[in-house]
Amino acid sequence: MESLVARHEQAVRPPQQERARQTRLAIVRAAAELFDKHGYGGTKIADVVDRIGMTKGALYFHFPDKESLAVAVMEAQMEGLSVPPQVVKTQELVDAGYALAHLLRSDPIQRGATRLTMDQDSDQVDRTRSMQLWLSFTESILVEARKREELLDIVEISEASNYFVGAFAGIQNMAHAFDDRTSLVDRLTVLWKYTLPSIVRPAIVTKLKLDPARGERIAHGAAPSDT
């Protein structure tokens, strides 16, 4: 009898885990939408409960407080972005920037995470969390780019990573203020145009494709066109 019960529990566990994962994702998306619209201080757990249509107890099963929910939103930002590998490693950095620029126009998790990171009203949360994830991501690309001899000898990986993450944060903030990020991809193209030659070897710069359309294709799970 016990073995039958054990087998039954093993059989039902995967669907239960998937439902829990979907519920958690729905909570994170709902919270991200509210954080994006109202900021951390203007969002209450009750607002998330109302938006998702569940009890507070059910939400607290997944997230013990608003701070943990905000952290989950920021961490989900990286989970929702996947960049296809490229022969020229630096192209992956370019593509990631374009994909993020596209997602910031419509994706609630990307928008909510960015609002939490940039909003000084979110001081109760570790606002460096999202930026640290982006710094690590950028550094990993640049380290591999150096191995492939794509970077100039003068480049210091940590400094370059800090510069790119900070510069992107600045232009997205400007684009958000001017036109709800409509101009973000164009501003990003200008950023790449003037800064990539300062870290990338000339022979590699000529191979990079500064095409905003690549970001949209990547964001929707399609391989970027290299033709």
Side-chain angles (χ1 to χ4, degrees):
M1 182 66 176
E2 291 180 356
S3 61
L4 289 175
V5 172
R7 286 199 295 270
H8 173 71
E9 289 177 346
Q10 290 175 358
V12 300
R13 190 176 296 127
Q16 290 173 340
Q17 290 176 349
E18 178 60 20
R19 284 195 295 272
R21 189 187 73 82
Q22 291 293 339
T23 299
R24 179 183 171 88
L25 177 59
I27 295 171
V28 170
R29 288 180 66 86
E33 291 172 355
L34 291 167
F35 287 141
D36 176 43
K37 186 175 181 179
H38 303 296
Y40 183 82
T43 299
K44 299 180 177 61
I45 286 290
D47 300 327
V48 182
V49 168
D50 291 342
R51 194 175 192 87
I52 200 67
M54 62 168 44
T55 65
K56 279 189 178 182
L59 187 147
Y60 285 135
F61 175 79
H62 295 276
F63 300 99
D65 50 37
K66 186 170 70 169
E67 181 179 349
S68 65
L69 187 49
V71 170
V73 170
M74 288 189 285
E75 292 182 345
Q77 185 180 34
M78 290 300 299
E79 296 172 3
L81 184 63
S82 177
V83 180
Q86 299 293 323
V87 174
V88 177
K89 193 67 179 181
T90 312
Q91 183 68 55
E92 295 179 27
L93 181 62
V94 173
D95 289 348
Y98 279 134
L100 179 57
H102 174 77
L103 289 169
L104 280 169
R105 296 287 308 280
S106 59
D107 184 83
I109 289 179
Q110 299 295 336
R111 292 174 66 95
T114 299
R115 173 71 185 267
L116 287 168
T117 302
M118 303 298 293
D119 192 351
Q120 295 186 12
D121 191 34
S122 307
D123 281 342
Q124 301 95 319
V125 183
D126 180 6
R127 294 193 295 123
T128 67
R129 180 59 178 159
S130 180
M131 290 186 180
Q132 288 292 348
L133 291 170
W134 279 108
L135 285 170
S136 296
F137 173 79
T138 304
E139 286 184 6
S140 68
I141 291 180
L142 293 180
V143 166
E144 185 61 30
R146 164 149 286 162
K147 292 178 182 178
R148 300 185 189 187
E149 299 184 343
E150 295 177 10
L151 305 183
L152 297 172
D153 293 338
I154 62 171
V155 174
E156 204 284 314
I157 299 295
S158 179
E159 289 181 351
S161 299
N162 273 274
Y163 173 77
F164 279 123
V165 173
F168 187 92
I171 62 170
Q172 82 80 25
N173 201 32
M174 286 183 64
H176 181 47
F178 277 102
D179 48 39
D180 196 24
R181 302 188 179 97
T182 300
S183 64
L184 180 53
V185 291
D186 294 327
R187 293 176 187 275
L188 181 57
T189 300
V190 173
L191 175 67
W192 292 142
K193 176 182 175 181
Y194 286 100
T195 59
L196 286 172
S198 69
I199 71 163
V200 180
R201 295 183 185 278
I204 299 299
V205 170
T206 60
K207 297 179 181 180
L208 296 176
K209 297 173 177 61
L210 305 186
D211 178 11
R214 293 172 66 90
E216 182 175 1
R217 289 192 290 269
I218 292 169
H220 292 290
S225 174
D226 289 322
T227 58

PDB file of all heavy atoms in Angstrom, residues 189-207:
ATOM      1  N   THR A 189      21.307  52.760 -30.532  1.00  0.00           N
ATOM      2  CA  THR A 189      22.147  52.677 -31.728  1.00  0.00           C
ATOM      3  C   THR A 189      23.236  53.744 -31.705  1.00  0.00           C
ATOM      4  O   THR A 189      24.394  53.485 -32.053  1.00  0.00           O
ATOM      5  CB  THR A 189      21.291  52.828 -33.000  1.00  0.00           C
ATOM      6  OG1 THR A 189      20.317  51.771 -33.047  1.00  0.00           O
ATOM      7  CG2 THR A 189      22.147  52.760 -34.258  1.00  0.00           C
ATOM      8  N   VAL A 190      22.874  54.942 -31.272  1.00  0.00           N
ATOM      9  CA  VAL A 190      23.855  56.024 -31.159  1.00  0.00           C
ATOM     10  C   VAL A 190      24.906  55.668 -30.107  1.00  0.00           C
ATOM     11  O   VAL A 190      26.114  55.889 -30.303  1.00  0.00           O
ATOM     12  CB  VAL A 190      23.162  57.354 -30.797  1.00  0.00           C
ATOM     13  CG1 VAL A 190      24.202  58.441 -30.516  1.00  0.00           C
ATOM     14  CG2 VAL A 190      22.236  57.792 -31.929  1.00  0.00           C
ATOM     15  N   LEU A 191      24.451  55.105 -28.992  1.00  0.00           N
ATOM     16  CA  LEU A 191      25.395  54.690 -27.950  1.00  0.00           C
ATOM     17  C   LEU A 191      26.389  53.671 -28.495  1.00  0.00           C
ATOM     18  O   LEU A 191      27.607  53.811 -28.304  1.00  0.00           O
ATOM     19  CB  LEU A 191      24.634  54.083 -26.767  1.00  0.00           C
ATOM     20  CG  LEU A 191      25.493  53.490 -25.645  1.00  0.00           C
ATOM     21  CD1 LEU A 191      26.273  54.587 -24.929  1.00  0.00           C
ATOM     22  CD2 LEU A 191      24.628  52.717 -24.652  1.00  0.00           C
ATOM     23  N   TRP A 192      25.895  52.648 -29.189  1.00  0.00           N
ATOM     24  CA  TRP A 192      26.797  51.657 -29.777  1.00  0.00           C
ATOM     25  C   TRP A 192      27.740  52.302 -30.784  1.00  0.00           C
ATOM     26  O   TRP A 192      28.935  51.992 -30.805  1.00  0.00           O
ATOM     27  CB  TRP A 192      25.994  50.566 -30.488  1.00  0.00           C
ATOM     28  CG  TRP A 192      25.174  49.642 -29.644  1.00  0.00           C
ATOM     29  CD1 TRP A 192      23.939  49.140 -29.956  1.00  0.00           C
ATOM     30  CD2 TRP A 192      25.507  49.050 -28.383  1.00  0.00           C
ATOM     31  NE1 TRP A 192      23.484  48.301 -28.976  1.00  0.00           N
ATOM     32  CE2 TRP A 192      24.435  48.218 -27.999  1.00  0.00           C
ATOM     33  CE3 TRP A 192      26.611  49.149 -27.539  1.00  0.00           C
ATOM     34  CZ2 TRP A 192      24.440  47.495 -26.807  1.00  0.00           C
ATOM     35  CZ3 TRP A 192      26.610  48.433 -26.350  1.00  0.00           C
ATOM     36  CH2 TRP A 192      25.544  47.625 -25.999  1.00  0.00           C
ATOM     37  N   LYS A 193      27.218  53.177 -31.596  1.00  0.00           N
ATOM     38  CA  LYS A 193      28.012  53.810 -32.668  1.00  0.00           C
ATOM     39  C   LYS A 193      29.228  54.540 -32.113  1.00  0.00           C
ATOM     40  O   LYS A 193      30.330  54.456 -32.686  1.00  0.00           O
ATOM     41  CB  LYS A 193      27.128  54.785 -33.447  1.00  0.00           C
ATOM     42  CG  LYS A 193      27.860  55.569 -34.528  1.00  0.00           C
ATOM     43  CD  LYS A 193      26.912  56.539 -35.209  1.00  0.00           C
ATOM     44  CE  LYS A 193      27.645  57.416 -36.220  1.00  0.00           C
ATOM     45  NZ  LYS A 193      26.705  58.400 -36.874  1.00  0.00           N
ATOM     46  N   TYR A 194      29.058  55.238 -30.998  1.00  0.00           N
ATOM     47  CA  TYR A 194      30.144  56.065 -30.477  1.00  0.00           C
ATOM     48  C   TYR A 194      31.009  55.368 -29.427  1.00  0.00           C
ATOM     49  O   TYR A 194      32.135  55.827 -29.178  1.00  0.00           O
ATOM     50  CB  TYR A 194      29.576  57.362 -29.892  1.00  0.00           C
ATOM     51  CG  TYR A 194      29.140  58.329 -30.970  1.00  0.00           C
ATOM     52  CD1 TYR A 194      27.799  58.445 -31.311  1.00  0.00           C
ATOM     53  CD2 TYR A 194      30.067  59.095 -31.665  1.00  0.00           C
ATOM     54  CE1 TYR A 194      27.391  59.317 -32.305  1.00  0.00           C
ATOM     55  CE2 TYR A 194      29.669  59.966 -32.670  1.00  0.00           C
ATOM     56  CZ  TYR A 194      28.332  60.073 -32.988  1.00  0.00           C
ATOM     57  OH  TYR A 194      27.927  60.934 -33.987  1.00  0.00           O
ATOM     58  N   THR A 195      30.494  54.293 -28.811  1.00  0.00           N
ATOM     59  CA  THR A 195      31.277  53.676 -27.732  1.00  0.00           C
ATOM     60  C   THR A 195      31.940  52.354 -28.110  1.00  0.00           C
ATOM     61  O   THR A 195      33.021  52.048 -27.587  1.00  0.00           O
ATOM     62  CB  THR A 195      30.399  53.429 -26.490  1.00  0.00           C
ATOM     63  OG1 THR A 195      29.294  52.576 -26.840  1.00  0.00           O
ATOM     64  CG2 THR A 195      29.868  54.744 -25.947  1.00  0.00           C
ATOM     65  N   LEU A 196      31.334  51.579 -28.980  1.00  0.00           N
ATOM     66  CA  LEU A 196      31.941  50.294 -29.326  1.00  0.00           C
ATOM     67  C   LEU A 196      33.354  50.440 -29.898  1.00  0.00           C
ATOM     68  O   LEU A 196      34.239  49.638 -29.568  1.00  0.00           O
ATOM     69  CB  LEU A 196      31.042  49.517 -30.291  1.00  0.00           C
ATOM     70  CG  LEU A 196      29.789  48.909 -29.656  1.00  0.00           C
ATOM     71  CD1 LEU A 196      28.878  48.324 -30.729  1.00  0.00           C
ATOM     72  CD2 LEU A 196      30.148  47.858 -28.615  1.00  0.00           C
ATOM     73  N   PRO A 197      33.615  51.443 -30.756  1.00  0.00           N
ATOM     74  CA  PRO A 197      34.990  51.592 -31.271  1.00  0.00           C
ATOM     75  C   PRO A 197      36.030  51.869 -30.184  1.00  0.00           C
ATOM     76  O   PRO A 197      37.233  51.687 -30.423  1.00  0.00           O
ATOM     77  CB  PRO A 197      34.879  52.779 -32.232  1.00  0.00           C
ATOM     78  CG  PRO A 197      33.446  52.777 -32.663  1.00  0.00           C
ATOM     79  CD  PRO A 197      32.697  52.377 -31.427  1.00  0.00           C
ATOM     80  N   SER A 198      35.573  52.279 -28.996  1.00  0.00           N
ATOM     81  CA  SER A 198      36.534  52.573 -27.922  1.00  0.00           C
ATOM     82  C   SER A 198      36.971  51.312 -27.182  1.00  0.00           C
ATOM     83  O   SER A 198      37.940  51.359 -26.407  1.00  0.00           O
ATOM     84  CB  SER A 198      35.928  53.562 -26.927  1.00  0.00           C
ATOM     85  OG  SER A 198      34.874  52.969 -26.191  1.00  0.00           O
ATOM     86  N   ILE A 199      36.270  50.179 -27.398  1.00  0.00           N
ATOM     87  CA  ILE A 199      36.674  48.952 -26.710  1.00  0.00           C
ATOM     88  C   ILE A 199      36.914  47.773 -27.663  1.00  0.00           C
ATOM     89  O   ILE A 199      37.576  46.810 -27.286  1.00  0.00           O
ATOM     90  CB  ILE A 199      35.641  48.530 -25.645  1.00  0.00           C
ATOM     91  CG1 ILE A 199      34.358  48.007 -26.296  1.00  0.00           C
ATOM     92  CG2 ILE A 199      35.350  49.659 -24.680  1.00  0.00           C
ATOM     93  CD1 ILE A 199      33.495  47.217 -25.335  1.00  0.00           C
ATOM     94  N   VAL A 200      36.366  47.857 -28.881  1.00  0.00           N
ATOM     95  CA  VAL A 200      36.424  46.728 -29.814  1.00  0.00           C
ATOM     96  C   VAL A 200      37.424  47.015 -30.930  1.00  0.00           C
ATOM     97  O   VAL A 200      37.509  48.143 -31.432  1.00  0.00           O
ATOM     98  CB  VAL A 200      35.023  46.451 -30.400  1.00  0.00           C
ATOM     99  CG1 VAL A 200      35.073  45.282 -31.383  1.00  0.00           C
ATOM    100  CG2 VAL A 200      34.028  46.160 -29.272  1.00  0.00           C
ATOM    101  N   ARG A 201      38.170  46.006 -31.326  1.00  0.00           N
ATOM    102  CA  ARG A 201      39.138  46.162 -32.412  1.00  0.00           C
ATOM    103  C   ARG A 201      38.427  46.575 -33.706  1.00  0.00           C
ATOM    104  O   ARG A 201      37.322  46.102 -33.994  1.00  0.00           O
ATOM    105  CB  ARG A 201      39.900  44.851 -32.637  1.00  0.00           C
ATOM    106  CG  ARG A 201      40.760  44.441 -31.450  1.00  0.00           C
ATOM    107  CD  ARG A 201      41.553  43.171 -31.745  1.00  0.00           C
ATOM    108  NE  ARG A 201      42.272  42.717 -30.565  1.00  0.00           N
ATOM    109  CZ  ARG A 201      43.444  43.200 -30.170  1.00  0.00           C
ATOM    110  NH1 ARG A 201      44.038  44.161 -30.877  1.00  0.00           N
ATOM    111  NH2 ARG A 201      44.036  42.734 -29.088  1.00  0.00           N
ATOM    112  N   PRO A 202      39.067  47.455 -34.495  1.00  0.00           N
ATOM    113  CA  PRO A 202      38.439  47.965 -35.730  1.00  0.00           C
ATOM    114  C   PRO A 202      37.931  46.867 -36.658  1.00  0.00           C
ATOM    115  O   PRO A 202      36.837  46.990 -37.240  1.00  0.00           O
ATOM    116  CB  PRO A 202      39.567  48.772 -36.383  1.00  0.00           C
ATOM    117  CG  PRO A 202      40.408  49.221 -35.235  1.00  0.00           C
ATOM    118  CD  PRO A 202      40.371  48.090 -34.247  1.00  0.00           C
ATOM    119  N   ALA A 203      38.662  45.788 -36.794  1.00  0.00           N
ATOM    120  CA  ALA A 203      38.245  44.711 -37.690  1.00  0.00           C
ATOM    121  C   ALA A 203      36.965  44.037 -37.206  1.00  0.00           C
ATOM    122  O   ALA A 203      36.189  43.503 -38.011  1.00  0.00           O
ATOM    123  CB  ALA A 203      39.360  43.669 -37.822  1.00  0.00           C
ATOM    124  N   ILE A 204      36.736  44.073 -35.882  1.00  0.00           N
ATOM    125  CA  ILE A 204      35.527  43.477 -35.308  1.00  0.00           C
ATOM    126  C   ILE A 204      34.355  44.449 -35.401  1.00  0.00           C
ATOM    127  O   ILE A 204      33.219  44.053 -35.672  1.00  0.00           O
ATOM    128  CB  ILE A 204      35.764  43.066 -33.845  1.00  0.00           C
ATOM    129  CG1 ILE A 204      36.882  42.025 -33.757  1.00  0.00           C
ATOM    130  CG2 ILE A 204      34.494  42.523 -33.213  1.00  0.00           C
ATOM    131  CD1 ILE A 204      36.584  40.736 -34.507  1.00  0.00           C
ATOM    132  N   VAL A 205      34.639  45.729 -35.183  1.00  0.00           N
ATOM    133  CA  VAL A 205      33.579  46.743 -35.246  1.00  0.00           C
ATOM    134  C   VAL A 205      32.863  46.690 -36.594  1.00  0.00           C
ATOM    135  O   VAL A 205      31.631  46.800 -36.666  1.00  0.00           O
ATOM    136  CB  VAL A 205      34.149  48.155 -35.001  1.00  0.00           C
ATOM    137  CG1 VAL A 205      33.104  49.223 -35.306  1.00  0.00           C
ATOM    138  CG2 VAL A 205      34.621  48.287 -33.556  1.00  0.00           C
ATOM    139  N   THR A 206      33.602  46.507 -37.661  1.00  0.00           N
ATOM    140  CA  THR A 206      32.996  46.478 -38.996  1.00  0.00           C
ATOM    141  C   THR A 206      32.073  45.283 -39.189  1.00  0.00           C
ATOM    142  O   THR A 206      31.233  45.291 -40.087  1.00  0.00           O
ATOM    143  CB  THR A 206      34.086  46.451 -40.085  1.00  0.00           C
ATOM    144  OG1 THR A 206      34.894  45.268 -39.915  1.00  0.00           O
ATOM    145  CG2 THR A 206      34.976  47.680 -39.988  1.00  0.00           C
ATOM    146  N   LYS A 207      32.215  44.259 -38.356  1.00  0.00           N
ATOM    147  CA  LYS A 207      31.370  43.065 -38.472  1.00  0.00           C
ATOM    148  C   LYS A 207      30.088  43.152 -37.635  1.00  0.00           C
ATOM    149  O   LYS A 207      29.167  42.353 -37.829  1.00  0.00           O
ATOM    150  CB  LYS A 207      32.156  41.824 -38.032  1.00  0.00           C
ATOM    151  CG  LYS A 207      33.371  41.508 -38.888  1.00  0.00           C
ATOM    152  CD  LYS A 207      34.101  40.284 -38.358  1.00  0.00           C
ATOM    153  CE  LYS A 207      35.334  39.958 -39.196  1.00  0.00           C
ATOM    154  NZ  LYS A 207      36.067  38.765 -38.681  1.00  0.00           N
TER     155      LYS A 207
END
